[in-house]
Structure formats: C-alpha cells, structure tokens
Amino acid sequence: MGYLTRVFHASEDENRRAILEAMPPRPGAVLLDLGCADGTFTTEIARAVGAERVCGIELLDEWAAKARERGVEVQAADLCERWPYPDEAFDIVHSNQVIEHLPKTDHFLAEIRRVLKPGGYAVVSTNNLASWHNIISLVLGWQPPPCHVSDEVVVGNPANPVAGAEHIRAQSHLRIFTGRALAELAEHHGLRVDLARTSGYYPLPPRLARIATRIDPRHGAFLIQRYTRA
C-alpha cells in the first residue's frame, strides 16, 4: 500500500473522529443515520451521544442486514423520495459521505429539516471541493479526485489512489460542494449552521492535518457542518 493510499484511508478515519467531536452528547436521544451502511459507525455514534433508539436508512440489502444485526432499525428507502418517518421524529440526524451521491440535494436537506425535532441537531459531512488537493489537480489539468465523470470507472487523475477502479452507479459522486455552497443551501432549506469545519488535509497524515485545518479551515479534505432548525 503506497503513501497516498494510506493517507487516503487515514483521512477517512480522521474525518469520522472529527464528526464524533462535532456531536454533543444527548442521553436518551433518537438518532437517524442516513446511509448507515453496515451500521459500524452508526453504533459508534449512538454510544458517543448516548442515543436510546437508533434508526437508519440504507438502500443496499447486504449492508442493511448487517446494520440490523448491530441493533439499528433500518429502513430500505430511497433518500431521493420522502423518508418513511413523521415530522420532528429525531433528536439527532447524521450523514457522512452521502449527499455527494444524490441528484436531489434540495430534497435531502429539506427532509433533514422536516424530521429533525426543535432543539435537535444534524451533522452532515462530505468532500470539500475547495480542498487543496482538488485545486492542485485542476492546476495540473487533472480531474479532482471526488468529482466523478463516469458511473463505471474512476478516471482523470493519475495520483488518485483508486484511479482505474470500477464502481457501480450508487458509488459515483454527482455533486461536490464548497463549504459556502453547502451552508447556503442548508440555510435555504430552513437549517441554521451551528458549526462549520473541515478535516483531513491531503497529502498530510492526520496529526499534521489537524494542525493544518486549524490554520487553514477552508481547504481541508472533508466538510463537517452541524445544523439546527432555523
């Protein structure tokens, strides 16, 4: 495994650590994880915040089954349709690396606002279009790594650790945000930005990346934003 690949995976781990830092404890909370995958991180969040009930939405059957084994109440639903929950049902809503896969980002944020209780909070994390590794890629005439142009294969950047890899449509990225764009869209849909930060700083390892994002929070690899109802 090369250095860039190790940093790639370490930065994803660092992002999950930073997400947990952004989620204040809420003992007895009802938690919703959007795109909960196999439930591993979902249950970690639940323990960290003290959630009493843990729900998730996951479209892939194999992952949904594993999440259920971990105690997550999973609904197999399409995030681009109305979610199968009543208004104001959740104290905490979480989404990590999901919004960039969706064609209906307005619907996604509007649904977060709908199902979030007054006084609750939501945390959304996604790739940062304004990160330095994306900017440098463009300067070199390469495709920014998170900006996919194919539903079948990753192309356009020889430094991308997953260059040439095949992926199914559900894994391709459709919309990549800057921090400002994500915040303004959230506010448009009735969510107030309570916290905005970044994590990861390619090609730096996590410890150096933490220092870099404190000095230069606009250009980290991942956006992390926390919202309350406006």
Side-chain angles (χ1 to χ4, degrees), residues 84-210:
Y85 302 107
D87 296 355
E88 302 179 3
F90 297 98
D91 302 287
I92 301 173
V93 177
H94 165 263
S95 169
N96 180 28
Q97 308 303 298
V98 171
I99 192 173
E100 67 270 19
H101 297 275
L102 304 176
K104 295 183 178 181
T105 48
D106 292 282
H107 173 82
F108 181 77
L109 290 165
E111 282 291 272
I112 288 178
R113 203 269 182 192
R114 181 183 69 80
V115 302
L116 189 63
K117 292 181 180 180
Y121 67 83
V123 172
V124 173
S125 181
T126 186
N127 302 88
N128 181 14
L129 181 60
S131 66
W132 278 120
H133 73 288
N134 290 332
I135 294 170
I136 292 170
S137 294
L138 287 170
V139 170
L140 293 173
W142 297 349
Q143 188 73 12
C147 299
H148 297 158
V149 296
S150 169
D151 296 327
E152 299 178 3
V153 65
V154 179
V155 295
N157 190 322
N160 190 338
V162 294
E166 295 183 359
H167 60 195
I168 60 174
R169 182 173 178 80
Q171 295 175 325
S172 59
H173 295 170
L174 303 181
R175 293 184 177 180
I176 307 299
F177 292 82
T178 62
R180 181 174 184 135
L182 182 59
E184 289 185 1
L185 189 60
E187 290 172 351
H188 173 76
H189 289 289
L191 296 166
R192 181 184 296 109
V193 180
D194 181 51
L195 176 146
R197 58 168 297 187
T198 59
S199 72
Y201 206 94
Y202 296 147
L204 301 180
R207 288 185 180 180
L208 293 178
R210 290 173 203 170

Side-chain angles (χ1 to χ4, degrees), residues 12-21 23 31 33 36 38-51 54 70 72 94 96:
E12 290 187 327
D13 291 340
E14 172 67 9
N15 188 54
R16 286 187 283 268
R17 184 200 64 79
I19 288 171
L20 291 176
E21 282 189 350
M23 302 186 75
L31 166 68
D33 193 7
C36 66
D38 66 1
T40 299
F41 191 48
T42 311
T43 55
E44 188 174 349
I45 292 170
R47 286 192 298 269
V49 301
V54 186
R70 292 186 166 94
V72 182
H94 165 263
N96 180 28

